[in-house]
């Protein structure tokens, strides 16, 4: 939805069957502001950010699958100043130091990072096994926290991290990819403004095909594909429906290493059922990723998840949308950037932070149950 120079592009008008839909400029701006993207991010918002002082942030770890992408996004965000990166594994540091995501940044020890004058936030991007220990150091230091997903295998430790952050009046930002995805933002608007009526079903899938090397790096995590990929979907399910009454995992293993690579979870709610599928053995699984929300007045089908695409079906006109089945097409938005803008504005008190400790704890408990790691 944004050109490379940071200026906003108008969404496309698309035709589906006999219906024609245009995401009006006013509606589009409302959706993007909800995502934390102001119109003219590269100009007026950048000047505002500079005028208020950029937020100093550092990163601990480079081994997470999203580490480089998250760092590139925060470096491109006018609200932040990256002060340096901590990577205690020398071999890993040598591996990534010349990559464009890290080029030109100071390499620090943890002590140097935490002693940086004016430091306000730290992003934790270690491998999953190290996430919670690093995160606990950050919140104990009284800093805002970006923690990549999933939030480890210890629910008590994650709860302690959230409680410590709350005591220090600091925010925790989880690395779930779809919070500011424009299609998901429009879906949330449709749910909260009653366009769909009561939601009675959600069906979502997020799969891929792992290489042997990628698989070897994940077999230590017993939660399998639902733990690694399904967590993104669960974050959005909880945004729509809240905490499930029951979670029933279905775990299947297709290889001799006995790793759960083909998983289904069913989440029960009073008036709704949710089916979540996640596998690591689907050829071109990324192109079939989807998130479908069905309500008594209409349905939202997000497919693919990235770049965002949507089919919206309504029983009557809603907002700028007509009755019937119609396609809403979005321009490709930079991954992660809107999340960082939203985080910065929340730290500065300019917007209310939606993702409370209660939300994040419900998500993590549901992830562990859906992955078969909790009774």
């Amino acid at each position: 939805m944004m050109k490379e120079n940071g200026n906003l592009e108008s969404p496309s008008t698309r035709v589906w069957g006999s219906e024609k839909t245009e995401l009006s400029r006013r509606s589009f701006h409302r959706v993007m502001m909800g995502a934390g993207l102001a119109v003219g991010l590269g100009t007026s918002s950048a000047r505002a950010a500079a005028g208020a002082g950029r937020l100093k942030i550092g990163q601990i770890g480079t081994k997470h699958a999203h580490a480089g992408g998250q760092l590139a996004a925060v470096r491109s965000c006018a609200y932040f100043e990256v002060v340096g990166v901590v990577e205690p594994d020398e071999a890993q540091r040598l591996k990534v130091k010349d990559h464009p995501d890290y080029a030109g940044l100071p390499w620090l020890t943890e002590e140097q990072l935490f002693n940086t004058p004016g430091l306000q936030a730290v992003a934790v991007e270690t491998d999953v096994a190290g996430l919670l220990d690093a995160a606990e150091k950050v919140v104990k230091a009284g800093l805002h926290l970006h923690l990549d997903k999933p939030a480890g295998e210890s629910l008590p430790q994650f709860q302690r991290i959230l409680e410590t952050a709350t005591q220090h009046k600091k925010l925790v930002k989880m690395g779930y990819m779809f919070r500011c995805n424009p299609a998901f933002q429009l879906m949330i608007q449709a749910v909260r403004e009653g366009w769909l009526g009561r939601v009675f079903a959600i069906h979502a899938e997020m799969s891929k095909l792992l290489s042997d090397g990628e698989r070897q790096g994940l077999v230590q995590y017993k939660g399998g594909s639902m733990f690694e990929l399904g967590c993104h979907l669960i974050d959005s399910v909880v945004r729509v429906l809240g905490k499930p009454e029951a979670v029933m995992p279905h775990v299947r293993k297709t290889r001799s290493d006995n790793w759960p690579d083909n998983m289904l979870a069913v989440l029960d709610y009073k008036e709704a059922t949710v089916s979540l599928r996640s596998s690591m053995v689907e050829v071109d699984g990324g192109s079939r990723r989807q998130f479908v929300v069905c309500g008594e007045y209409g349905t939202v089908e997000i497919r693919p998840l990235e770049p965002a695409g949507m089919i919206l079906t309504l029983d009557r006109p809603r907002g700028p949308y007509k009755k019937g089945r119609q396609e809403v097409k979005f321009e490709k938005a930079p991954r992660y950037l809107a999340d960082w803008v939203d985080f910065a504005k929340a730290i500065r008190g300019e917007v209310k932070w939606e993702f409370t400790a209660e939300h994040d704890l419900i998500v993590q408990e549901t992830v562990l149950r859906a992955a078969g790691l909790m009774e």
Side-chain angles (χ1 to χ4, degrees), residues 57-60 113-114 119-124 138 143-146:
I57 187 171
Q59 179 168 304
I60 296 176
L113 175 61
F114 286 128
L119 184 69
Q120 291 169 275
V122 172
V124 174
V138 173
L143 300 166
H144 297 286
L145 169 68
H146 160 83

Side-chain angles (χ1 to χ4, degrees), residues 37-299:
L37 279 175
V39 178
L41 176 62
T43 53
S44 61
S45 290
R47 288 194 294 271
R54 300 172 79 189
L55 301 167
K56 290 188 177 182
I57 187 171
Q59 179 168 304
I60 296 176
T62 64
K63 292 183 178 180
H64 196 281
H66 295 171
Q70 290 282 5
L71 184 61
V74 74
R75 293 186 76 177
S76 71
C77 181
Y79 289 91
F80 287 98
E81 174 191 347
V82 179
V83 300
V85 180
V86 175
E87 179 49 75
D89 185 330
E90 183 177 2
Q92 174 69 10
R93 187 169 65 251
L94 292 173
K95 179 180 176 181
V96 302
K97 71 180 183 65
D98 294 325
H99 191 280
D101 294 340
Y102 299 92
L105 289 176
W107 292 93
L108 308 174
T109 64
E110 279 190 3
E111 183 179 7
Q112 288 172 326
L113 175 61
F114 286 128
N115 287 330
T116 300
L119 184 69
Q120 291 169 275
V122 172
V124 174
E125 292 286 345
T126 67
D127 56 11
V128 175
L131 288 174
L132 293 185
D133 287 344
E136 195 146 27
K137 295 176 184 178
V138 173
V139 295
K140 283 182 176 179
L143 300 166
H144 297 286
L145 169 68
H146 160 83
L147 177 62
D148 223 314
K149 61 83 207 174
E153 296 176 325
S154 171
L155 189 64
Q157 186 177 11
F158 183 55
Q159 182 173 9
R160 188 167 67 241
I161 288 166
L162 295 174
E163 290 172 349
T164 302
T166 300
Q167 289 166 4
H168 287 291
K169 298 183 179 180
K170 301 301 179 182
L171 301 180
V172 175
K173 169 186 175 294
M174 291 300 302
Y176 294 119
M177 296 193 301
F178 305 127
R179 290 181 168 184
C180 290
N181 176 300
F184 279 78
Q185 285 297 104
L186 186 55
M187 178 271 291
I188 292 295
Q189 180 187 359
V191 170
R192 293 179 179 172
E193 294 187 7
W195 298 1
L196 306 184
R198 290 178 298 179
V199 173
F200 62 84
I202 295 177
H203 170 70
E205 299 199 31
M206 191 168 180
S207 298
K208 65 186 293 185
L209 178 63
L210 285 181
S211 68
D212 290 342
E214 290 172 323
R215 187 181 181 96
Q216 187 59 39
L218 291 173
V219 293
Q220 62 179 305
Y221 306 117
K222 304 305 181 184
S225 59
M226 191 63 69
F227 184 72
E228 171 66 13
L229 289 181
C231 58
H232 292 290
L233 305 176
I234 291 170
D235 181 64
S236 293
V237 169
V238 172
R239 288 183 78 186
V240 175
L241 291 173
K243 184 175 181 175
E245 295 181 351
V247 179
M248 291 163 283
H250 299 264
V251 179
R252 300 294 180 267
K253 306 167 184 178
T254 70
R255 301 275 185 90
S256 59
D257 58 18
N258 208 36
W259 186 66
D261 57 8
N262 180 27
M263 303 183 73
L264 164 71
V266 178
L267 282 55
D268 276 349
Y269 291 84
K270 183 178 180 180
E271 296 183 334
T273 55
V274 177
S275 61
L276 303 176
R277 294 197 66 93
S278 182
S279 82
M280 296 294 199
V281 292
E282 182 178 342
V283 176
D284 194 26
S287 66
R288 210 178 60 78
R289 293 178 178 183
Q290 57 191 292
F291 195 94
V292 180
V293 182
C294 301
E296 59 185 335
Y297 303 144
T299 298

